[in-house]
Structure formats: structure tokens, C-alpha cells
């Protein structure tokens, strides 16, 4: 059989721990036998990030700007424990945070729905997609530990030499902590546009929620920009498409989501989207069944799994034990990226291959062969609990 050809390479960002193991298996057994895979490879594994002083992450993001489509493996965001474990020079920032800050954009996360894996919430009939703003807020913060009494202020110094603006954050009479965060009107507007476009392209309603009652300037600005963009650019198109946009308080949104049937897009600020997408993916069945794509306003796409590096499984793997780690979201990161590359380059065969691999993956689960995370919750009778190798081999056999 001749392999499917690619023209433009994908940006390939390798990662850490168990997902790094999955990465290689997916390439070797599910992609390379069928596709003449072309990638520009960046090793975002923690040792290489440390060796390059995180330059490799920036290089990978720059390559994404050049080539347009990237696929990323889960990576460790270092904390104090990782400093010791990997003898790091520095507590490097989250690679996802760095990449998102460079590409801007919105992250769309949607659960992969399969027969036999029923959502915990009984009313949910359709997937719920989270549109997560991927720029700013606490992910690009400036933090201070306050050692003792003193004043913390916000100071704005206009670049054109105008009057300084100051606001007191807190007069500290004891030790504490302080944080400065920001966002940009242009980034919020492109978040709104990306979300509205996605709603139109998928024919789903869209909700946006923030905490404007408490954050009367910051969150309120998000609410206003969404309203302005909607009124000026999308109102008529939404009416025509028979879909709806509405704003509500984040607390109200959470309550409504649980009572809903699903089948809509929930636009979230950066932190809300981070947390709520984990809640949704677990509630839809498994963290390992959630896809994630960063869509930048400049037309760049970065595909990844929503879950982390599955550290607990990796330590078992290192100890020589079999693991039953679910590779589905990582497979869908690859198929998402390959299909987008195919679409942009006019390679129908590459798009068709991606859809076939997705179908083979879903069919394998629906036939009753699945990893442990799914086997424990499935409503299918007599599921076969496969280890990681067996599950990938079952998909390969189907391919
Ligand atoms: P995690 O890797 O998502 O795993 C948390 C738990 O969820 C696992 O222990 C496992 O539960 C279950 N799980 C997640 N993915 C699974 C899969 N594919 N198959 C089966 N079970 C799965 O989160 P974490 O343990 O909090 O974080 C580990 C590392 O990942 C951290 O260093 C963190 O910085 C990083 N991280 C990276 C990203 C990213 O790159 N996008 C995102 C999140 C976290 P059981 O142990 O019960 O089996
Ligand atoms: Mg999260």
C-alpha cells in the first residue's frame, strides 16, 4: 500500500511522562504505517526545556506561526516537587501558557461521546463545548509575596507622557500576597469572534458568563465587548441561523449547565475554562475523552489532549507494570491536526484518513474493548479491559 502524502509539515511538540509513551505508540502503530508523516519536531519534554532555558517552547510556538498547524503532547508544568525531581535551573512556566500567550486565541474543548459511556448528569444528551479564552488573566500574572506592613498599588504610566493613574490594592498591616493581572481589548474581541464563529459553524447556541457584579471594571469589560461584537457583527447571522447568544453570571451558568440537555458552547474566561473543562470532561465520562484545540485569530491551530501527563500511570510504567492509560484524546489531537492540515492543503485523503482513525477508535470502544478508566464506568455488558498496548493494537487491527 502506498502511504498518504503530506505537503506542509505539522509542528510536532513532544511532551512528558505517560503521554510521551503514548505519543510514540500512536505514531508508530496508528499513523506512520499509513501516512508519510512530515513534521517539524520540537521536544517540549521537561529535560529539553530545562536544557534550552525554555527556548524550545518559544521556537515551537514560532514554528506554529510559520506552518499554521501544530499537535502537542501533554507536558509537565513544574512545581516545587518537579524542581527536585528534574534538578531544574528554574521553575519554568507552563508551556501551554507560553504558547497561548504567543498565539493568542481561544481553546475549544469538546468531549468525545461514545455509546456505552453515559454522562454522570442524566439530562445531558449532547456534548457541551467549552470555549476557553487563552490569553491573560491569572496565566500571565505578576505576583508578590508581601513580607510585612506596607502599601501595594496599581500604577498606570501612559506611554505618551500623560498623567499617571494610581489605585491602592491594599494597605498591608501584616504579611500577605498580592497579584496583578491584565487583559487586552483586542484579545477579548477576538475571543468573542472566535466563539461566535464556532457557534455559527456548528449551529449551536452560545453562552458567555463572568462575574461582572463583583468585578465591575475587569469582568464587566468582557461582558461589554462580547455585547458590542455580537450587536455589530453577529446578531443578524445568529437570527438567520436560528441560534442564540446570551450572557449570564458565572454562578447562574454553572447551575444552568447541570440542568441542561447539552448541545451548546459555553464561553469561559481563561481560569473558568481551565477548571470547568476538567469538570465537564470528567462528568462526560473520562478526562481522557476530551479534545482540545487552540484557534488563534491569525489562523493558527494547535491540537492537544485536555488531560495532563498521567504521572501516576507513568511511575507504574517505570516500575515495569502494565498500565491501562487511555490514548483517545491524544489520538484525536493527531487526527484533528492531520485533518486540518489536509483541509488547508487540499489533501482529501489525509482528511479521510483522520476520520477513519477516529471511527476505528470509537468503534473499538463501542465493540467493548476499552481502557480501565472507561471499563469501570461503561454501561456496555462484559467490557474487555485492555492495557494501553492492547487497546492501541485493537485500533490498529481495525485500521
Ligand atoms: P492528569 O495527568 O490529567 O491526570 C490526573 C488523573 O486523571 C490521572 O491520575 C488518572 O486517574 C486520570 N487520567 C488523566 N488522563 C488519563 C488517561 N489518558 N487515561 C487514564 N486516566 C487518565 O493530571 P495531573 O496528574 O494533575 O498532572 C500530571 C502532570 O500533567 C502535571 O505535571 C501537570 O503539570 C501536567 N498537566 C499538563 C497539561 C497539558 O500539558 N495540557 C494539562 C494538565 C496537567 P487515575 O490515577 O485515577 O487513573
Ligand atoms: Mg485544567
Amino acid at each position: 500500500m502506498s502511504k498518504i502524502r503530506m505537503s506542509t509539515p505539522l509542528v510536532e511538540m513532544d511532551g512528558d511522562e505517560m503521554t510521551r509513551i503514548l505519543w510514540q505508540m500512536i505514531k508508530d502503530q496508528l499513523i506512520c504505517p499509513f501516512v508519510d508523516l512530515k513534521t517539524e519536531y520540537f521536544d517540549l519534554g521537561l529535560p529539553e526545556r530545562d536544557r534550552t532555558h525554555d527556548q524550545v517552547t518559544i521556537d515551537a510556538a514560532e514554528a506554529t506561526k510559520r506552518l499554521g498547524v501544530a499537535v502537542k503532547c501533554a507536558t509537565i508544568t513544574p512545581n516545587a516537587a518537579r524542581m527536585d525531581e528534574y534538578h531544574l535551573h528554574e521553575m519554568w512556566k507552563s508551556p501551554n501558557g507560553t504558547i497561548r500567550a504567543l498565539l493568542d486565541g481561544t481553546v475549544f474543548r469538546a468531549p468525545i461521546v461514545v455509546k456505552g459511556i453515559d454522562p454522570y448528569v442524566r439530562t445531558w444528551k449532547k456534548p457541551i463545548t467549552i470555549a476557553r479564552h487563552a490569553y491573560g488573566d491569572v496565566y500571565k500574572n505578576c505576583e508578590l509575596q508581601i513580607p510585612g506592613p506596607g502599601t501595594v498599588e496599581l500604577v498606570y504610566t501612559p506611554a505618551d507622557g500623560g498623567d499617571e493613574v494610581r489605585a491602592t490594592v491594599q494597605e498591608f498591616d501584616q504579611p500577605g500576597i498580592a497579584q496583578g493581572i491584565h487583559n487586552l481589548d483586542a484579545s477579548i474581541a477576538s475571543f468573542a469572534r472566535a466563539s461566535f464563529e464556532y457557534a455559527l459553524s456548528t449551529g449551536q447556541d452560545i453562552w458567555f458568563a463572568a462575574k461582572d457584579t463583583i468585578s465591575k471594571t475587569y469582568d464587566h469589560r468582557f461582558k461589554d465587548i462580547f455585547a458590542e461584537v455580537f450587536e455589530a457583527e453577529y446578531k443578524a447571522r445568529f437570527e438567520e441561523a436560528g441560534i442564540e447568544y446570551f450572557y449570564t453570571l458565572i454562578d447562574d451558568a454553572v447551575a444552568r449547565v447541570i440542568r441542561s440537555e447539552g448541545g451548546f458552547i459555553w464561553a469561559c474566561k481563561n481560569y473558568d475554562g481551565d477548571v470547568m473543562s476538567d469538570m465537564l470532561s470528567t462528568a462526560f465520562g473520562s478526562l481522557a475523552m476530551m479534545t482540545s484545540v487552540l484557534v488563534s485569530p491569525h489562523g493558527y491551530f494547535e491540537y492537544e489532549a485536555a488531560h495532563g501527563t498521567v504521572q501516576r500511570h507513568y511511575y507504574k510504567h517505570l516500575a515495569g507494570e502494565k498500565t491501562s492509560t487511555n490514548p483517545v484524546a491524544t489520538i484525536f489531537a493527531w487526527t484533528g491536526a492531520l485533518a486540518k492540515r489536509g483541509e488547508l492543503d487540499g489533501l482529501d485523503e489525509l482528511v479521510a484518513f483522520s476520520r477513519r482513525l477516529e471511527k476505528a477508535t470509537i468503534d473499538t470502544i463501542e465493540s467493548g474493548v476499552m481502557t480501565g478508566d472507561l471499563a469501570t464506568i461503561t454501561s456496555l455488558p462484559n467490557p474487555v479491559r485492555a492495557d494501553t498496548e492492547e487497546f492501541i493494537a485493537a485500533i490498529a487491527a481495525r485500521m
Side-chain angles (χ1 to χ4, degrees), residues 109 132 139 270-271 273-279 287 306-307:
R109 288 196 173 159
R132 171 183 171 189
Y139 301 86
N270 210 343
Y271 177 84
D274 182 349
V275 177
M276 291 305 168
S277 63
D278 282 359
M279 191 271 286
L287 204 53
H307 61 77

Side-chain angles (χ1 to χ4, degrees), residues 366-379:
E366 293 184 346
S367 78
V369 178
M370 59 194 80
T371 46
D373 56 320
L374 301 182
T376 53
I377 58 169
T378 185
S379 57

Side-chain angles (χ1 to χ4, degrees), residues 254-277:
V254 169
R256 282 171 186 251
V257 163
I258 297 297
R259 293 195 311 262
S260 78
E261 272 201 357
F264 58 90
I265 296 155
W266 181 12
C268 290
K269 289 179 61 205
N270 210 343
Y271 177 84
D272 296 336
D274 182 349
V275 177
M276 291 305 168
S277 63

Side-chain angles (χ1 to χ4, degrees), residues 72 74-75 77 82 96 287-288 304 307-310 312-313 326:
K72 179 180 171 293
T75 46
T77 298
R82 302 296 198 168
N96 286 343
L287 204 53
E304 63 173 335
H307 61 77
T309 60
V310 212
R312 200 182 66 80
H313 295 209
N326 187 335

Side-chain angles (χ1 to χ4, degrees), residues 40-276:
E40 272 192 27
Y41 178 87
F42 295 86
D43 184 0
L44 266 55
L46 189 50
E48 183 64 7
R49 275 183 279 147
D50 191 53
R51 193 189 67 79
T52 63
H53 289 238
D54 215 19
Q55 185 60 40
V56 66
T57 308
I58 294 164
D59 292 346
E62 293 300 334
T64 306
K65 289 185 177 177
R66 185 162 40 79
L67 296 173
V69 185
V71 56
K72 179 180 171 293
C73 180
T75 46
I76 293 169
T77 298
N79 56 15
R82 302 296 198 168
M83 292 290 290
D84 296 337
E85 186 183 352
Y86 285 85
H87 310 290
L88 300 179
H89 290 101
E90 241 180 75
M91 204 186 289
W92 307 110
K93 292 199 168 177
S94 152
N96 286 343
T98 303
I99 293 165
R100 285 171 199 153
L102 287 167
L103 301 183
D104 196 353
T106 302
V107 174
F108 293 92
R109 288 196 173 159
I112 300 156
V113 176
V114 298
K115 285 193 211 89
I117 308 298
D118 307 316
Y120 284 97
V121 179
R122 273 169 296 149
T123 51
W124 289 356
K125 306 261 186 290
K126 301 173 207 158
I128 297 169
T129 302
I130 291 224
R132 171 183 171 189
H133 188 206
Y135 178 85
D137 300 353
V138 72
Y139 301 86
K140 209 165 168 16
N141 64 4
C142 164
E143 300 185 324
L144 286 178
Q145 185 152 3
I146 309 300
T151 308
V152 172
E153 288 180 292
L154 286 179
V155 181
Y156 166 61
T157 314
D160 64 7
D163 289 342
E164 205 172 74
V165 183
R166 309 179 84 91
T168 303
V169 174
Q170 180 69 13
E171 306 270 10
F172 284 86
D173 61 3
Q174 55 184 289
I177 42 183
Q179 180 182 65
I181 60 171
H182 81 281
N183 224 299
L184 304 171
D185 284 1
S187 176
I188 299 167
S190 68
F191 166 39
R193 283 192 189 97
S195 302
F196 292 141
E197 289 292 341
Y198 198 85
L200 280 169
S201 75
T202 58
Q204 301 181 88
D205 287 350
I206 175 159
W207 311 0
F208 176 54
K211 193 76 179 177
D212 63 294
T213 46
I214 298 298
S215 173
K216 291 184 192 322
T217 302
Y218 198 103
D219 276 23
H220 212 286
R221 189 78 191 128
F222 278 80
K223 178 182 176 181
D224 288 347
I225 290 175
F226 263 72
E228 284 161 24
V229 170
F230 182 72
E231 284 296 321
E233 302 169 32
Y234 290 95
K235 197 169 185 209
R237 290 168 70 193
F238 268 52
E239 270 166 23
E240 212 170 288
I243 58 172
E244 201 186 331
Y245 163 65
F246 73 91
Y247 174 85
T248 185
L249 272 178
I250 185 80
D251 326 49
D252 179 49
V254 169
R256 282 171 186 251
V257 163
I258 297 297
R259 293 195 311 262
S260 78
E261 272 201 357
F264 58 90
I265 296 155
W266 181 12
C268 290
K269 289 179 61 205
N270 210 343
Y271 177 84
D272 296 336
D274 182 349
V275 177
M276 291 305 168

Side-chain angles (χ1 to χ4, degrees), residues 331-332 335-336 339 353-363:
I331 294 171
F332 275 64
T335 55
F353 164 79
S354 305
R355 298 298 165 242
R356 268 201 304 279
L357 177 49
E358 289 172 355
K359 184 167 181 331
T361 305
I362 289 174
D363 287 352

